[in-house]
Amino acid sequence: MADVLSVGVNLEAFAQAISAIQALRSSVSRVFDCLKDGMRNKETLEGREKAFIAHFQDNLQSVNRDLNELERLSNLVGKPSENHPLHNSGLLSLDPVQDKTPLYSQLLQAYKWSNKKEQLSISRIFSRDV
């Protein structure tokens, strides 16, 4: 059975989540290395494009797999209990100004915009005729 602290955090899952973060960072680095290197070491332009796209897709799938694993592990880690004092940061939730600011809607709009931008950029990369 996994170690669980009294605060409700699964230590084994936490250690696995840290390893998953490292794997995700590594796979994201490989994506950027692939983009940095571009289409090299092939004789024909067609061969370079096909090799680049295949390598890039493999790297993106690796990022997706690592991100899914991290999300799965984050659900296993658990949340710390609310019994621990938050000191002054706990008072932020009592601030009435928070209710009057559109922070959540702005964050949601930025998230949607970022996802749309990412999808468009990926679709443009793969929409070229290979």
Short mmCIF file of all heavy atoms in Angstrom, two decimals, residues 58-104:
data_model
loop_
_atom_site.label_atom_id
_atom_site.label_comp_id
_atom_site.label_asym_id
_atom_site.label_seq_id
_atom_site.Cartn_x
_atom_site.Cartn_y
_atom_site.Cartn_z
N ASP A 58 6.12 11.92 -34.01
CA ASP A 58 6.52 11.01 -32.93
C ASP A 58 6.79 11.78 -31.65
O ASP A 58 6.39 11.37 -30.56
CB ASP A 58 7.76 10.21 -33.32
CG ASP A 58 7.48 9.17 -34.38
OD1 ASP A 58 6.30 8.84 -34.59
OD2 ASP A 58 8.45 8.70 -35.01
N ASN A 59 7.48 12.91 -31.78
CA ASN A 59 7.79 13.72 -30.60
C ASN A 59 6.53 14.32 -29.98
O ASN A 59 6.40 14.36 -28.75
CB ASN A 59 8.79 14.82 -30.95
CG ASN A 59 10.18 14.29 -31.17
OD1 ASN A 59 10.56 13.27 -30.61
ND2 ASN A 59 10.95 14.96 -32.00
N LEU A 60 5.60 14.77 -30.81
CA LEU A 60 4.34 15.31 -30.29
C LEU A 60 3.51 14.24 -29.60
O LEU A 60 2.88 14.49 -28.57
CB LEU A 60 3.52 15.97 -31.40
CG LEU A 60 4.02 17.32 -31.89
CD1 LEU A 60 3.12 17.84 -33.01
CD2 LEU A 60 4.07 18.33 -30.76
N GLN A 61 3.51 13.04 -30.14
CA GLN A 61 2.79 11.94 -29.49
C GLN A 61 3.43 11.59 -28.16
O GLN A 61 2.73 11.26 -27.19
CB GLN A 61 2.77 10.72 -30.41
CG GLN A 61 1.85 10.90 -31.59
CD GLN A 61 1.95 9.76 -32.59
OE1 GLN A 61 2.80 8.89 -32.48
NE2 GLN A 61 1.08 9.77 -33.59
N SER A 62 4.73 11.71 -28.07
CA SER A 62 5.43 11.46 -26.81
C SER A 62 5.03 12.50 -25.77
O SER A 62 4.80 12.17 -24.60
CB SER A 62 6.94 11.48 -27.05
OG SER A 62 7.63 11.35 -25.84
N VAL A 63 4.94 13.76 -26.19
CA VAL A 63 4.50 14.82 -25.27
C VAL A 63 3.08 14.54 -24.80
O VAL A 63 2.77 14.64 -23.61
CB VAL A 63 4.59 16.21 -25.95
CG1 VAL A 63 3.87 17.27 -25.14
CG2 VAL A 63 6.04 16.61 -26.16
N ASN A 64 2.22 14.17 -25.73
CA ASN A 64 0.83 13.88 -25.38
C ASN A 64 0.74 12.71 -24.39
O ASN A 64 0.00 12.77 -23.40
CB ASN A 64 0.03 13.58 -26.64
CG ASN A 64 -1.46 13.51 -26.38
OD1 ASN A 64 -1.96 14.14 -25.47
ND2 ASN A 64 -2.15 12.74 -27.18
N ARG A 65 1.51 11.65 -24.64
CA ARG A 65 1.51 10.49 -23.75
C ARG A 65 2.02 10.88 -22.36
O ARG A 65 1.42 10.51 -21.34
CB ARG A 65 2.39 9.39 -24.36
CG ARG A 65 2.40 8.11 -23.56
CD ARG A 65 3.31 7.05 -24.17
NE ARG A 65 4.69 7.52 -24.26
CZ ARG A 65 5.34 7.77 -25.40
NH1 ARG A 65 4.74 7.60 -26.56
NH2 ARG A 65 6.58 8.20 -25.39
N ASP A 66 3.10 11.66 -22.30
CA ASP A 66 3.66 12.06 -21.00
C ASP A 66 2.70 12.99 -20.25
O ASP A 66 2.58 12.91 -19.03
CB ASP A 66 5.01 12.75 -21.19
CG ASP A 66 6.09 11.78 -21.67
OD1 ASP A 66 5.90 10.56 -21.53
OD2 ASP A 66 7.12 12.27 -22.18
N LEU A 67 2.02 13.86 -20.98
CA LEU A 67 1.06 14.76 -20.34
C LEU A 67 -0.14 13.98 -19.80
O LEU A 67 -0.60 14.25 -18.68
CB LEU A 67 0.60 15.82 -21.33
CG LEU A 67 -0.30 16.91 -20.79
CD1 LEU A 67 0.37 17.66 -19.65
CD2 LEU A 67 -0.70 17.87 -21.88
N ASN A 68 -0.62 13.01 -20.54
CA ASN A 68 -1.73 12.18 -20.05
C ASN A 68 -1.31 11.41 -18.79
O ASN A 68 -2.10 11.27 -17.85
CB ASN A 68 -2.20 11.22 -21.13
CG ASN A 68 -2.95 11.92 -22.23
OD1 ASN A 68 -3.47 13.01 -22.04
ND2 ASN A 68 -2.99 11.31 -23.40
N GLU A 69 -0.09 10.91 -18.79
CA GLU A 69 0.41 10.18 -17.61
C GLU A 69 0.48 11.11 -16.40
O GLU A 69 0.11 10.74 -15.29
CB GLU A 69 1.77 9.57 -17.92
CG GLU A 69 2.42 8.86 -16.75
CD GLU A 69 1.69 7.60 -16.32
OE1 GLU A 69 0.78 7.13 -17.02
OE2 GLU A 69 2.02 7.08 -15.24
N LEU A 70 0.95 12.33 -16.62
CA LEU A 70 1.04 13.30 -15.52
C LEU A 70 -0.35 13.66 -14.99
O LEU A 70 -0.54 13.76 -13.78
CB LEU A 70 1.78 14.56 -15.99
CG LEU A 70 1.98 15.64 -14.94
CD1 LEU A 70 2.76 15.11 -13.74
CD2 LEU A 70 2.67 16.84 -15.55
N GLU A 71 -1.32 13.82 -15.88
CA GLU A 71 -2.68 14.11 -15.44
C GLU A 71 -3.25 12.96 -14.62
O GLU A 71 -3.92 13.16 -13.62
CB GLU A 71 -3.58 14.40 -16.64
CG GLU A 71 -3.32 15.75 -17.27
CD GLU A 71 -4.15 15.99 -18.51
OE1 GLU A 71 -4.89 15.07 -18.94
OE2 GLU A 71 -4.07 17.09 -19.05
N ARG A 72 -2.98 11.73 -15.07
CA ARG A 72 -3.45 10.56 -14.33
C ARG A 72 -2.84 10.53 -12.93
O ARG A 72 -3.53 10.30 -11.94
CB ARG A 72 -3.09 9.28 -15.09
CG ARG A 72 -3.60 8.01 -14.45
CD ARG A 72 -3.07 6.77 -15.12
NE ARG A 72 -1.65 6.57 -14.90
CZ ARG A 72 -1.11 6.05 -13.79
NH1 ARG A 72 -1.89 5.68 -12.80
NH2 ARG A 72 0.19 5.90 -13.68
N LEU A 73 -1.54 10.78 -12.85
CA LEU A 73 -0.86 10.75 -11.56
C LEU A 73 -1.29 11.89 -10.65
O LEU A 73 -1.33 11.74 -9.43
CB LEU A 73 0.65 10.77 -11.75
CG LEU A 73 1.25 9.48 -12.33
CD1 LEU A 73 2.69 9.69 -12.72
CD2 LEU A 73 1.10 8.34 -11.35
N SER A 74 -1.61 13.03 -11.24
CA SER A 74 -2.03 14.16 -10.41
C SER A 74 -3.33 13.85 -9.69
O SER A 74 -3.57 14.33 -8.58
CB SER A 74 -2.16 15.43 -11.25
OG SER A 74 -3.25 15.33 -12.13
N ASN A 75 -4.18 13.04 -10.29
CA ASN A 75 -5.41 12.64 -9.61
C ASN A 75 -5.14 11.66 -8.48
O ASN A 75 -5.91 11.60 -7.52
CB ASN A 75 -6.39 12.02 -10.61
CG ASN A 75 -6.93 13.04 -11.58
OD1 ASN A 75 -7.09 14.21 -11.25
ND2 ASN A 75 -7.19 12.61 -12.80
N LEU A 76 -4.06 10.90 -8.58
CA LEU A 76 -3.71 9.93 -7.53
C LEU A 76 -3.00 10.58 -6.34
O LEU A 76 -3.02 10.04 -5.24
CB LEU A 76 -2.82 8.83 -8.10
CG LEU A 76 -3.43 7.94 -9.17
CD1 LEU A 76 -2.39 6.95 -9.69
CD2 LEU A 76 -4.63 7.19 -8.61
N VAL A 77 -2.36 11.71 -6.59
CA VAL A 77 -1.59 12.36 -5.53
C VAL A 77 -2.49 12.78 -4.39
O VAL A 77 -2.17 12.60 -3.23
CB VAL A 77 -0.79 13.56 -6.09
CG1 VAL A 77 -0.22 14.42 -4.97
CG2 VAL A 77 0.33 13.07 -6.99
N GLY A 78 -3.63 13.32 -4.71
CA GLY A 78 -4.54 13.79 -3.67
C GLY A 78 -4.30 15.25 -3.36
O GLY A 78 -3.35 15.87 -3.83
N LYS A 79 -5.16 15.78 -2.55
CA LYS A 79 -5.06 17.18 -2.18
C LYS A 79 -4.78 17.28 -0.70
O LYS A 79 -5.31 16.51 0.09
CB LYS A 79 -6.36 17.91 -2.53
CG LYS A 79 -6.63 17.91 -4.01
CD LYS A 79 -7.86 18.66 -4.36
CE LYS A 79 -7.99 18.65 -5.87
NZ LYS A 79 -9.27 18.98 -6.35
N PRO A 80 -3.95 18.25 -0.31
CA PRO A 80 -3.70 18.42 1.11
C PRO A 80 -4.98 18.83 1.84
O PRO A 80 -5.84 19.47 1.27
CB PRO A 80 -2.64 19.52 1.17
CG PRO A 80 -2.59 20.13 -0.16
CD PRO A 80 -3.22 19.18 -1.13
N SER A 81 -5.07 18.43 3.07
CA SER A 81 -6.27 18.77 3.83
C SER A 81 -6.29 20.25 4.14
O SER A 81 -5.29 20.94 4.11
CB SER A 81 -6.32 17.96 5.13
OG SER A 81 -5.33 18.43 6.02
N GLU A 82 -7.46 20.72 4.46
CA GLU A 82 -7.66 22.14 4.74
C GLU A 82 -7.32 22.50 6.19
O GLU A 82 -7.48 23.63 6.60
CB GLU A 82 -9.10 22.53 4.44
CG GLU A 82 -9.50 22.33 2.99
CD GLU A 82 -8.73 23.24 2.05
OE1 GLU A 82 -8.42 24.38 2.44
OE2 GLU A 82 -8.45 22.82 0.92
N ASN A 83 -6.84 21.54 6.97
CA ASN A 83 -6.56 21.79 8.37
C ASN A 83 -5.27 22.57 8.59
O ASN A 83 -5.01 23.04 9.69
CB ASN A 83 -6.48 20.47 9.15
CG ASN A 83 -7.80 19.74 9.12
OD1 ASN A 83 -8.85 20.36 8.98
ND2 ASN A 83 -7.76 18.43 9.25
N HIS A 84 -4.44 22.66 7.58
CA HIS A 84 -3.17 23.35 7.74
C HIS A 84 -3.35 24.85 7.60
O HIS A 84 -4.08 25.32 6.74
CB HIS A 84 -2.16 22.86 6.70
CG HIS A 84 -1.82 21.42 6.89
ND1 HIS A 84 -1.05 20.97 7.92
CD2 HIS A 84 -2.19 20.32 6.19
CE1 HIS A 84 -0.95 19.66 7.86
NE2 HIS A 84 -1.64 19.24 6.80
N PRO A 85 -2.69 25.59 8.46
CA PRO A 85 -2.83 27.04 8.39
C PRO A 85 -2.20 27.59 7.10
O PRO A 85 -1.16 27.14 6.67
CB PRO A 85 -2.08 27.54 9.62
CG PRO A 85 -1.12 26.45 9.94
CD PRO A 85 -1.76 25.17 9.51
N LEU A 86 -2.87 28.52 6.50
CA LEU A 86 -2.38 29.13 5.27
C LEU A 86 -1.74 30.49 5.55
O LEU A 86 -1.38 31.19 4.61
CB LEU A 86 -3.53 29.29 4.28
CG LEU A 86 -4.20 28.00 3.83
CD1 LEU A 86 -5.41 28.32 2.99
CD2 LEU A 86 -3.22 27.15 3.06
N HIS A 87 -1.65 30.86 6.80
CA HIS A 87 -1.11 32.15 7.20
C HIS A 87 -1.89 33.26 6.49
O HIS A 87 -3.10 33.15 6.34
CB HIS A 87 0.39 32.23 6.96
CG HIS A 87 1.12 31.11 7.67
ND1 HIS A 87 1.21 31.05 9.03
CD2 HIS A 87 1.75 30.02 7.19
CE1 HIS A 87 1.90 29.96 9.39
NE2 HIS A 87 2.24 29.31 8.27
N ASN A 88 -1.24 34.28 6.04
CA ASN A 88 -1.96 35.39 5.42
C ASN A 88 -2.53 35.06 4.05
O ASN A 88 -3.48 35.70 3.61
CB ASN A 88 -1.03 36.61 5.30
CG ASN A 88 -0.70 37.19 6.65
OD1 ASN A 88 -1.43 36.99 7.61
ND2 ASN A 88 0.40 37.92 6.74
N SER A 89 -1.97 34.07 3.37
CA SER A 89 -2.49 33.73 2.04
C SER A 89 -3.89 33.13 2.14
O SER A 89 -4.65 33.16 1.17
CB SER A 89 -1.55 32.77 1.32
OG SER A 89 -1.46 31.56 2.04
N GLY A 90 -4.26 32.59 3.29
CA GLY A 90 -5.61 32.07 3.47
C GLY A 90 -6.66 33.16 3.48
O GLY A 90 -7.83 32.91 3.21
N LEU A 91 -6.24 34.38 3.78
CA LEU A 91 -7.19 35.50 3.82
C LEU A 91 -7.55 35.99 2.42
O LEU A 91 -8.51 36.73 2.27
CB LEU A 91 -6.60 36.64 4.65
CG LEU A 91 -6.29 36.30 6.11
CD1 LEU A 91 -5.60 37.47 6.80
CD2 LEU A 91 -7.54 35.89 6.85
N LEU A 92 -6.79 35.61 1.41
CA LEU A 92 -7.08 36.07 0.06
C LEU A 92 -8.45 35.60 -0.42
O LEU A 92 -9.12 36.28 -1.19
CB LEU A 92 -6.00 35.58 -0.91
CG LEU A 92 -4.64 36.25 -0.76
CD1 LEU A 92 -3.64 35.59 -1.68
CD2 LEU A 92 -4.73 37.73 -1.04
N SER A 93 -8.86 34.43 0.03
CA SER A 93 -10.16 33.93 -0.39
C SER A 93 -11.31 34.73 0.20
O SER A 93 -12.44 34.64 -0.26
CB SER A 93 -10.32 32.46 -0.01
OG SER A 93 -10.31 32.34 1.40
N LEU A 94 -11.04 35.51 1.22
CA LEU A 94 -12.07 36.33 1.85
C LEU A 94 -12.18 37.71 1.24
O LEU A 94 -13.04 38.50 1.62
CB LEU A 94 -11.78 36.46 3.35
CG LEU A 94 -11.69 35.13 4.12
CD1 LEU A 94 -11.29 35.41 5.57
CD2 LEU A 94 -12.99 34.38 4.04
N ASP A 95 -11.31 38.03 0.29
CA ASP A 95 -11.27 39.36 -0.32
C ASP A 95 -12.48 39.55 -1.24
O ASP A 95 -12.64 38.82 -2.21
CB ASP A 95 -9.97 39.53 -1.10
CG ASP A 95 -9.76 40.95 -1.59
OD1 ASP A 95 -10.55 41.84 -1.21
OD2 ASP A 95 -8.80 41.16 -2.35
N PRO A 96 -13.35 40.54 -0.97
CA PRO A 96 -14.52 40.75 -1.82
C PRO A 96 -14.17 41.31 -3.19
O PRO A 96 -14.96 41.23 -4.12
CB PRO A 96 -15.38 41.73 -1.03
CG PRO A 96 -14.41 42.47 -0.18
CD PRO A 96 -13.31 41.49 0.13
N VAL A 97 -12.97 41.87 -3.35
CA VAL A 97 -12.57 42.44 -4.64
C VAL A 97 -12.46 41.33 -5.68
O VAL A 97 -12.72 41.53 -6.86
CB VAL A 97 -11.24 43.21 -4.50
CG1 VAL A 97 -10.74 43.71 -5.84
CG2 VAL A 97 -11.43 44.37 -3.53
N GLN A 98 -12.09 40.14 -5.24
CA GLN A 98 -11.94 39.01 -6.15
C GLN A 98 -13.24 38.73 -6.90
O GLN A 98 -13.24 38.37 -8.07
CB GLN A 98 -11.50 37.78 -5.39
CG GLN A 98 -11.31 36.56 -6.26
CD GLN A 98 -10.91 35.34 -5.45
OE1 GLN A 98 -10.83 35.40 -4.23
NE2 GLN A 98 -10.67 34.24 -6.12
N ASP A 99 -14.37 38.91 -6.23
CA ASP A 99 -15.66 38.65 -6.86
C ASP A 99 -15.99 39.70 -7.93
O ASP A 99 -16.78 39.44 -8.82
CB ASP A 99 -16.78 38.65 -5.81
CG ASP A 99 -16.61 37.54 -4.80
OD1 ASP A 99 -15.96 36.53 -5.16
OD2 ASP A 99 -17.10 37.68 -3.67
N LYS A 100 -15.38 40.86 -7.82
CA LYS A 100 -15.69 41.94 -8.76
C LYS A 100 -14.72 42.00 -9.93
O LYS A 100 -14.93 42.77 -10.86
CB LYS A 100 -15.68 43.27 -8.02
CG LYS A 100 -16.77 43.34 -6.96
CD LYS A 100 -16.71 44.61 -6.18
CE LYS A 100 -17.78 44.57 -5.09
NZ LYS A 100 -17.63 45.65 -4.16
N THR A 101 -13.66 41.23 -9.90
CA THR A 101 -12.70 41.24 -11.00
C THR A 101 -13.00 40.07 -11.95
O THR A 101 -13.35 38.98 -11.50
CB THR A 101 -11.26 41.11 -10.48
OG1 THR A 101 -11.14 39.92 -9.72
CG2 THR A 101 -10.87 42.31 -9.65
N PRO A 102 -12.84 40.30 -13.24
CA PRO A 102 -13.13 39.24 -14.22
C PRO A 102 -11.94 38.32 -14.46
O PRO A 102 -11.67 37.91 -15.58
CB PRO A 102 -13.47 40.04 -15.47
CG PRO A 102 -12.63 41.27 -15.36
CD PRO A 102 -12.58 41.58 -13.88
N LEU A 103 -11.21 38.00 -13.39
CA LEU A 103 -9.99 37.21 -13.54
C LEU A 103 -10.26 35.84 -14.14
O LEU A 103 -9.58 35.42 -15.08
CB LEU A 103 -9.29 37.07 -12.19
CG LEU A 103 -7.98 36.28 -12.19
CD1 LEU A 103 -6.95 37.00 -13.05
CD2 LEU A 103 -7.46 36.11 -10.79
N TYR A 104 -11.26 35.15 -13.62
CA TYR A 104 -11.53 33.79 -14.12
C TYR A 104 -11.91 33.82 -15.59
O TYR A 104 -11.42 33.03 -16.38
CB TYR A 104 -12.64 33.13 -13.30
CG TYR A 104 -12.99 31.75 -13.82
CD1 TYR A 104 -12.15 30.67 -13.60
CD2 TYR A 104 -14.15 31.55 -14.56
CE1 TYR A 104 -12.45 29.41 -14.09
CE2 TYR A 104 -14.46 30.29 -15.06
CZ TYR A 104 -13.61 29.23 -14.82
OH TYR A 104 -13.91 28.00 -15.31
#
